[in-house]
Amino acid sequence: MSGGFPLDLILFGMVAAFLVLRLRSVLGRRTGFERPPAPVAVPRPVEAEVTPAPARRGVPDARGPVGQALSRIRGVDPSFDAAAFLGGAEGAFRMIVEGFAAGNRPLLRDLLSEETYAGFEAAIADRESRSERQRTEIREVRDASIEAADLRGTVADVTVRFVSDQVNLTTDAEGKPVAGTDAVTELTDVWTFQRDLRSEDPTWKLVATRSA
């Protein structure tokens, strides 16, 4: 081989430089004190939350006697809407049932007529006198349907049938069960709400209850 720079070394150097540039373009460069790549977290399976289905709400046919009574109520109070009323009635049902279990007298006084409140308050006082506690959970309201309506002057009554899944358990001072069960039970309640449609108070108050 004659003097001069070896050609094969030049070729190898060019190839090596090309490979380095290619690797840098693919992998990138590290600058400074970079943290090592974080390990990929494998998400744990999450239990799906069970959301109760909305209650079936039954509004009577406008051509039937109950539907016609609702139309008369709307004639006195144009803002009355049967479907919206059922939504509010379901909310009141939940608050009253759970408020009674908790002995929440102020809440009950706002949502019950005087006569109905007197009966609820007496039952709460009797329970407290025996140092008993009531646990009530409404797991689901399956059905809320208007089954009767009446209008006397400006005073309207609307009766709603509620079908619900509940847990009701009463325990004594030592925590021992004395009534009810901690199992879910389907209950049917028929409640009547009343309001003077000319009153500034928009609250429909509970005036009567019965089990079906």
Side-chain angles (χ1 to χ4, degrees):
M1 183 178 294
S2 61
F5 202 81
L7 183 59
D8 55 350
L9 291 179
I10 295 175
L11 292 175
F12 283 131
M14 294 175 63
V15 171
F18 174 76
L19 292 176
V20 169
L21 291 174
R22 290 289 296 171
L23 288 173
R24 285 184 175 179
S25 67
V26 173
L27 300 178
R29 294 182 178 182
R30 287 185 178 273
T31 57
F33 295 92
E34 296 181 353
R35 295 181 180 179
V40 178
V42 178
R44 296 181 179 179
V46 179
E47 295 184 2
E49 295 184 0
V50 178
T51 302
R56 294 188 299 270
R57 293 176 181 168
V59 177
D61 189 323
R63 296 168 295 183
V66 178
Q68 290 176 6
L70 295 175
S71 295
R72 291 195 297 273
I73 292 173
R74 189 164 53 251
V76 178
D77 179 7
S79 68
F80 176 80
D81 177 80
F85 170 85
L86 279 175
E90 180 185 339
F93 175 77
R94 291 177 179 273
M95 288 191 291
I96 292 170
V97 169
E98 294 175 356
F100 172 73
N104 189 339
R105 290 176 170 86
L107 180 144
L108 296 176
R109 191 183 296 275
D110 288 340
L111 297 177
L112 278 57
S113 68
E114 291 185 8
E115 183 178 351
T116 306
Y117 173 77
F120 275 56
E121 200 282 330
I124 293 172
D126 181 59
R127 186 175 68 213
E128 292 174 342
S129 69
R130 296 193 298 272
S131 299
E132 294 177 349
R133 300 185 65 180
Q134 182 171 334
R135 178 170 69 91
T136 296
E137 299 175 17
I138 298 179
R139 297 292 179 85
E140 182 179 1
V141 176
R142 295 181 175 275
D143 184 88
S145 303
I146 296 176
E147 69 168 25
D150 188 28
L151 180 65
R152 301 178 309 282
T154 61
V155 177
D157 289 349
V158 180
T159 300
V160 182
R161 176 183 295 267
F162 298 101
V163 179
S164 62
D165 288 343
Q166 297 186 29
V167 172
N168 286 283
L169 180 64
T170 302
T171 56
D172 62 16
E174 298 178 354
K176 297 178 180 179
V178 295
T181 175
D182 58 1
V184 177
T185 305
E186 182 181 284
L187 300 175
T188 300
D189 297 279
V190 180
W191 287 14
T192 299
F193 297 90
Q194 185 178 93
R195 177 175 177 260
D196 185 339
L197 303 178
R198 295 302 187 191
S199 171
E200 294 183 358
D201 184 357
T203 306
W204 287 79
K205 296 199 173 185
L206 180 65
V207 296
T209 67
R210 65 181 174 87
S211 298

